[in-house]
Amino acid sequence: MDKESRYFFWGLLLVAAICLLPFPGLSDFHTKGEPREAIMAYDMLADGHWILPLYNDGSVAFKPPFFHWLIALFSAVTGSVNEYTSRLPSALALLGMTLGCYAFYARRRGVMVAFMAALILMTNFETHRAGLNCRVDMVLTAAIVGALLLLYRWTERGLRGAPWGALVLMGVATLTKGPVGIVLPCLVTWVFVLMRGGRFWPTTGRLAAVGLGACVLPLLWYVAAYLEAGDAFLAMAYEENVLRFTGKMTYESHENPWYYNVMTIVAGYAPYTLLGLFALPLRWAGGWMGAWWTRLWRGLREMEPVRLFSLLAIVVIFVFYCIPKSKRSVYLLPVYPFIAYFLAEWMLWLWQRRPWVIHTFGTVLSVAAVTLTVVFVTVRLGFVPDTIFTGRHAAENVAFLHALETVPLNVGGFTAVAVTPILALGYLRDLLSRQRRRLPGMVMQPLIVAVGIYLALDGFYQPTVLNVKSDRAVAEAVNEIQPDGPIYEYVQRGAGRYFNINFYTGDRVLIFDKVLPERGTLVVGTADYREKLIPRFGDRYTFDLVLNSGHRSCDTKDTICVYRFHRRPAAE
């Protein structure tokens, strides 16, 4: 890196660290997916199941353990598995991917494009959300993207030698979620080399060798897992990696049509999809789209290599994930860094030819940021009545409102809330100045406003609201009712379990209808109790209500109740 590149690199590191590292622990777990992953690290540390971590009902985790190893490592250092240590691997993965993409594009496309692409990558909805989540997807994405960038460097060397860094990262990706971590980088690189004039069989042979080399690291775990669990492990791995792709799983798993992927990218790239709306008035023939498609159809092989590689990464990965019936928005995360690169180039093009589009986008973001602050102040002053909420979820919305109104605003929260309108008003002030509005740095100011919005959301607004959704308060009440020993759950109406309550009670929640205990404490939803539990077990057990929490579980969407129970004496 030259001096300018290093300057922007350290600036980006500072901004990314401020945006990502302080906030992962502020929100309690409030979805079933996060505690379900975190509890695997708890099992590793408590019971030593490092190869195949287990749920407390004896079932095996569906995913390979690398992500859980990271959680366990950070938790061992801090002394406990908690929200921060569980989300830290994702935050660090997004930070590393952001810096890696900056370094990659700064060398090949210029510092300004690279810096803007990095900010766009970090502040679009889908990647930012995944970077603050306790799920495997961001670690998988960072490993896949890192492998792709290193494989591109390998193509610059004429495929000579071994791409050792890429081999390690593909192995890590496979240990995070499965063989897709090897398939995608090799597939994109294979198509790229062929389109650049590479011969079919030599190229295929080299990429096949790379794929086999990347299998060495995960193969060690697969062998160890087979030796531990035998054919049951092979059946699970086959279903998760083969039957999921072919749509023949034994259960439905996020089945969606192909166009679902288009909608998730459009929604996932908010707020930057607004740029597309603002650019619609541009003339097709003379606008950026006409020029772009003209260049594209003149011949993809004539494109600059790094642009062609970025385009192919988007197209190949997108098409790949259109094939299986199982589709989720996070599956497409590996395309987001490459979309960010093209968005950065497009923003610079617009700045030179249609600056009003950038100014309109920045104005909308700034007005939204100021409006958010005004609404918060209005709520804080008690000017918003509870009666504005009606309907099915009125009580939950009122709870959100009261949380925003009453939760203490500490120094960190106040800073996060205050910086947003300051950045937004600063941009609007510069926009009104004829001298400043044409300065080159103005093209980046909307991205800085976006950073400010995320600081406010992550630093105060979201934790305040999402903690109301969490089942943690109910779990703490259950801990008082049953300080030690097993707790039981009964879930029938919705898929899954009370994962949040299980996490916050120390992995003590067992499945009632699997164990059928003599007596104990039971967590059950009101509808499950009335419609399922009593018709099935009412003649065999006596249930005494201990707690009606009035809280709608974030796991089962049913109001949680706690009962003491004991088995009825057998009839003589």
Side-chain angles (χ1 to χ4, degrees):
M1 285 189 186
D2 57 26
K3 185 176 181 180
E4 183 185 25
S5 296
R6 288 196 299 270
Y7 173 79
F8 275 92
F9 177 87
W10 291 114
L12 178 64
L13 174 59
L14 178 63
V15 172
I18 292 173
C19 282
L20 298 174
L21 298 184
F23 308 123
L26 295 184
S27 298
D28 296 335
F29 288 142
H30 53 274
T31 64
K32 61 185 177 182
E34 288 193 288
R36 185 176 60 198
E37 301 293 349
I39 209 68
M40 294 293 92
Y42 187 95
D43 178 65
M44 288 176 174
L45 294 171
D47 298 321
H49 297 142
W50 293 93
I51 302 299
L52 284 175
L54 303 174
Y55 295 106
N56 59 16
D57 65 351
S59 59
V60 177
F62 288 103
K63 301 179 183 71
F66 183 79
F67 178 70
H68 311 118
W69 288 343
L70 293 178
I71 299 175
L73 173 63
F74 295 135
S75 301
V77 172
T78 62
S80 66
V81 181
N82 53 51
E83 296 90 348
Y84 189 87
T85 60
S86 300
R87 293 170 177 147
L88 186 57
S90 296
L92 292 175
L94 178 53
L95 190 151
M97 183 172 70
T98 300
L99 295 175
C101 289
Y102 166 80
F104 178 82
Y105 284 114
R107 179 180 177 183
R108 294 163 179 84
R109 301 299 298 169
V111 170
M112 183 66 78
V113 168
F115 190 78
M116 291 179 62
L119 289 180
I120 293 170
L121 173 61
M122 190 175 60
T123 57
N124 70 75
F125 172 76
E126 193 69 61
T127 56
H128 193 85
R129 178 180 65 166
L132 294 177
N133 245 338
C134 175
R135 302 298 295 268
V136 303
D137 304 290
M138 183 48 66
V139 173
L140 171 71
T141 298
I144 288 176
V145 171
L148 280 166
L149 302 185
L150 292 175
L151 286 174
Y152 180 85
R153 288 182 57 187
W154 183 53
T155 67
E156 291 179 322
R157 303 196 306 265
L159 307 185
R160 291 188 295 272
W164 295 109
L167 294 178
V168 171
L169 286 176
M170 285 190 285
V172 165
T174 304
L175 282 173
T176 301
K177 200 167 184 179
V180 69
I182 296 174
V183 172
L184 287 180
C186 290
L187 181 61
V188 171
T189 307
W190 179 73
V191 174
F192 170 72
V193 174
L194 291 182
M195 291 195 68
R196 293 285 296 168
R199 291 183 297 168
F200 180 84
W201 288 115
T203 301
T204 303
R206 286 190 177 95
L207 267 301
V210 167
L212 291 175
C215 290
V216 173
L217 185 61
L219 186 62
L220 298 175
W221 174 77
Y222 275 92
V223 171
Y226 174 74
L227 293 176
E228 190 167 305
D231 292 340
F233 167 75
L234 291 182
M236 182 191 69
Y238 180 74
E239 179 165 26
E240 287 295 312
N241 295 293
V242 178
L243 297 185
R244 179 181 292 273
F245 190 81
T246 60
K248 298 180 179 179
M249 300 183 71
T250 57
Y251 60 91
E252 291 187 5
S253 177
H254 311 289
E255 294 187 6
N256 289 291
W258 70 268
Y259 53 83
Y260 170 84
N261 284 342
V262 177
M263 295 187 296
T264 59
I265 288 182
V266 171
Y269 241 100
Y272 300 103
T273 45
L274 290 174
L275 278 170
L277 295 177
F278 299 148
L280 286 178
L282 298 179
R283 292 183 298 111
W284 176 268
W288 72 273
M289 288 182 287
W292 164 254
W293 286 108
T294 300
R295 289 197 301 271
L296 178 61
W297 292 111
R298 279 177 187 166
L300 287 173
R301 291 179 62 178
E302 297 179 4
M303 290 180 68
E304 297 170 83
V306 70
R307 301 187 83 241
L308 177 61
F309 185 81
S310 300
L311 178 63
L312 289 175
I314 297 170
V315 173
V316 172
I317 294 173
F318 180 87
V319 171
F320 178 89
Y321 278 118
C322 285
I323 298 172
K325 290 184 178 180
S326 179
K327 298 178 181 67
R328 293 179 62 216
S329 60
V330 291
Y331 292 172
L332 291 171
L333 278 170
V335 309
Y336 277 65
F338 304 102
I339 294 176
Y341 157 66
F342 283 110
L343 276 174
E345 283 201 335
W346 184 41
M347 286 185 69
L348 288 171
W349 186 95
L350 288 171
W351 180 250
Q352 294 296 323
R353 295 166 177 80
R354 304 288 190 276
W356 64 266
V357 176
I358 303 299
H359 289 321
T360 303
F361 175 62
T363 300
V364 170
L365 285 185
S366 298
V367 170
V370 174
T371 303
L372 177 66
T373 309
V374 171
V375 170
F376 171 66
V377 173
T378 304
V379 170
R380 198 75 177 179
L381 294 175
F383 293 159
V384 181
D386 297 352
T387 53
I388 67 168
F389 297 113
T390 59
R392 180 180 176 187
H393 301 304
E396 189 175 50
N397 291 329
V398 169
F400 296 156
L401 179 69
H402 288 174
L404 289 169
E405 185 178 350
T406 60
V407 167
L409 192 61
N410 58 26
V411 175
F414 177 80
T415 303
V417 169
V419 73
T420 306
I422 292 174
L423 293 173
L425 291 172
Y427 174 77
L428 293 174
R429 179 204 62 194
D430 291 346
L431 191 60
L432 293 175
S433 170
R434 290 178 176 240
Q435 294 179 341
R436 298 186 62 85
R437 65 184 301 169
R438 290 296 297 170
L439 292 177
M442 282 288 287
V443 70
M444 279 199 293
Q445 280 190 248
L447 307 183
I448 301 301
V449 174
V451 169
I453 292 174
Y454 277 108
L455 285 175
L457 292 174
D458 298 334
F460 182 76
Y461 295 125
Q462 285 191 146
T464 301
V465 170
L466 295 177
N467 287 349
V468 174
K469 291 182 62 178
S470 174
D471 294 351
R472 180 172 187 166
V474 180
E476 290 172 350
V478 173
N479 280 328
E480 293 182 5
I481 295 168
Q482 184 77 34
D484 52 41
I487 302 162
Y488 300 94
E489 65 176 358
Y490 186 80
V491 181
Q492 290 294 311
R493 296 178 70 253
R497 301 178 56 187
Y498 285 104
F499 291 106
N500 280 265
I501 291 180
N502 183 45
F503 179 84
Y504 287 117
T505 55
D507 197 24
R508 295 190 290 136
V509 179
L510 305 177
I511 300 174
F512 174 81
D513 40 334
K514 268 193 174 183
V515 180
L516 296 178
E518 291 292 324
R519 60 179 53 81
T521 300
L522 178 71
V523 177
V524 62
T526 54
D528 264 341
Y529 178 81
R530 181 179 64 253
E531 300 171 10
K532 302 292 183 178
L533 181 69
I534 291 302
R536 185 177 175 188
F537 295 104
D539 59 339
R540 286 181 277 171
Y541 285 89
T542 298
F543 299 94
D544 299 312
L545 181 65
V546 178
L547 172 68
N548 184 341
S549 70
H551 173 77
R552 184 169 173 263
S553 171
C554 56
D555 284 324
T556 66
K557 312 306 179 186
D558 198 357
T559 301
I560 305 173
C561 291
V562 181
Y563 290 84
R564 295 280 194 187
F565 68 88
H566 65 271
R567 190 188 293 268
R568 297 179 186 273
E572 296 183 0

